[in-house]
């Protein structure tokens, strides 16, 4: 009930490509869906977050698409750059406040 | 402070040794969280404080794990009689009060139990 499933586990794209990372959740009480970026040796850093009352949110090159009925959400990175190479985590939380994380996607953007 | 600060950054403990990990949250942040991140995995929730009150400790894996935040600011995660399976990165995070406020993570304390 608390699980957040993330795919793919790893992703390799060329510079300028649009990697897409998908997540699915089970708990309908979740009402906050952030994406975090983590570089090796660093803590996760918030990229962008969405609430279930909107279907899409865009911040710079990062876009979240949200499908409430399917209980799925995804991250799109436009015009990806080698500096975007990192591990990306989706997460979800509800009234309990703590985040439930997906298992992560290791993104490599080739120059 | 400018961000969430954790110490030590790296700790090697012999099996059976007790360890204490410290977290300095962002000044004024009411909420404080501890997460455990195994290699190649997403962070997993351990415990949550609001000010000095520990509101949720459901993620603590055993009674060897203990966390405190006595004055509602600095927090300490203590692991007694460490085991090899305790080897992980321990992440502290903080946020201000209110729904949806950004949760900021520290860089973590890397614990290796040998």
């Amino acid at each position: 009930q608390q699980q957040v499933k993330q795919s793919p586990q790893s992703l390799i794209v060329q510079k300028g490509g649009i990697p897409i990372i998908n997540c699915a959740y089970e708990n309908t009480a979740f009402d906050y869906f952030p994406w975090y970026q983590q570089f090796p040796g660093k803590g996760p850093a918030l990229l962008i977050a969405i609430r279930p009352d909107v279907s899409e949110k865009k911040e710079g090159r990062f876009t979240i698409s949200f499908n409430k009925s399917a209980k799925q959400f995804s991250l799109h990175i436009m015009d990806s750059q080698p500096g975007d190479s990192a591990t990306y985590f989706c997460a979800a939380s509800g009234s309990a406040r703590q985040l439930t994380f997906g298992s992560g996607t290791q993104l490599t953007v080739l120059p | 402070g400018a961000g969430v600060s954790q110490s030590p950054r790296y700790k090697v403990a012999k099996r059976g040794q007790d360890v204490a990990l410290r977290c300095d949250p962002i000044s004024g942040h009411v909420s404080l969280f501890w997460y455990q991140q195994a290699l190649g995995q997403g962070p997993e929730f351990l415990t949550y404080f609001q000010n000095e009150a520990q509101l949720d400790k459901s993620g603590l894996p055993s009674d060897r794990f203990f966390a405190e935040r006595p004055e509602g600011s600095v927090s300490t995660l203590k692991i007694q009689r460490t085991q090899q399976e305790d080897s992980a990165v321990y992440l502290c995070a903080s946020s201000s009060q209110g729904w949806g406020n950004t949760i900021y993570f520290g860089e973590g304390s890397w614990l290796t139990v040998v």
Side-chain angles (χ1 to χ4, degrees):
Chain A
Q1 189 72 359
Q2 293 295 320
Q3 200 173 16
V4 176
K5 295 182 179 179
Q6 182 172 348
S7 63
Q9 187 175 3
S10 63
L11 190 53
I12 300 174
V13 300
Q14 294 285 341
K15 178 182 174 182
I18 305 176
I20 301 172
I21 306 170
N22 300 297
C23 284
Y25 64 97
E26 299 171 358
N27 188 345
T28 55
F30 286 149
D31 61 2
Y32 175 68
F33 302 89
W35 284 88
Y36 280 81
Q37 179 189 56
Q38 187 174 32
F39 292 104
K42 302 294 185 182
L46 179 69
L47 268 179
I48 185 172
I50 197 168
R51 295 193 290 181
D53 54 351
V54 297
S55 60
E56 185 174 281
K57 183 175 182 180
K58 186 174 183 178
E59 285 185 4
R61 296 186 293 110
F62 301 96
T63 300
I64 299 180
S65 298
F66 188 86
N67 185 331
K68 186 175 180 179
S69 60
K71 293 187 286 186
Q72 295 175 347
F73 58 110
S74 59
L75 176 70
H76 302 228
I77 305 175
M78 305 301 176
D79 187 28
S80 58
Q81 301 296 314
D84 295 330
S85 298
T87 301
Y88 292 80
F89 293 96
C90 63
S93 72
S95 60
R97 300 259 12 247
Q98 70 263 26
L99 295 167
T100 299
F101 283 86
S103 55
T105 297
Q106 189 167 354
L107 172 66
T108 302
V109 181
L110 300 175
Chain B
V4 178
S5 178
Q6 294 188 244
S7 61
R9 284 296 320 277
Y10 305 94
K11 175 70 177 179
V12 179
K14 291 184 178 179
R15 191 170 60 177
Q17 187 178 356
D18 296 350
V19 300
L21 308 176
R22 177 188 167 103
C23 173
D24 273 284
I26 294 172
S27 179
H29 277 191
V30 169
S31 300
L32 185 144
F33 306 83
W34 284 98
Y35 287 83
Q36 181 190 58
Q37 187 173 23
L39 190 64
Q41 300 295 317
E44 292 195 356
F45 171 77
L46 294 177
T47 187
Y48 163 53
F49 290 86
Q50 186 171 309
N51 295 306
E52 69 279 3
Q54 189 175 19
L55 298 186
D56 189 342
K57 55 181 180 179
S58 61
L60 295 176
S62 78
D63 59 7
R64 296 185 295 104
F65 286 70
F66 172 77
E68 60 183 5
R69 193 186 186 196
E71 296 178 359
S73 178
V74 171
S75 177
T76 304
L77 176 67
K78 297 179 180 177
I79 309 173
Q80 296 176 324
R81 304 181 304 281
T82 52
Q83 304 294 316
Q84 283 190 319
E85 61 263 28
D86 299 336
S87 296
V89 178
Y90 291 86
L91 294 164
C92 178
S94 70
S95 76
S96 54
Q97 186 81 325
W99 179 91
N101 281 332
T102 300
I103 296 175
Y104 296 90
F105 283 82
E107 295 195 328
S109 290
W110 294 59
L111 174 64
T112 302
V113 181
V114 298

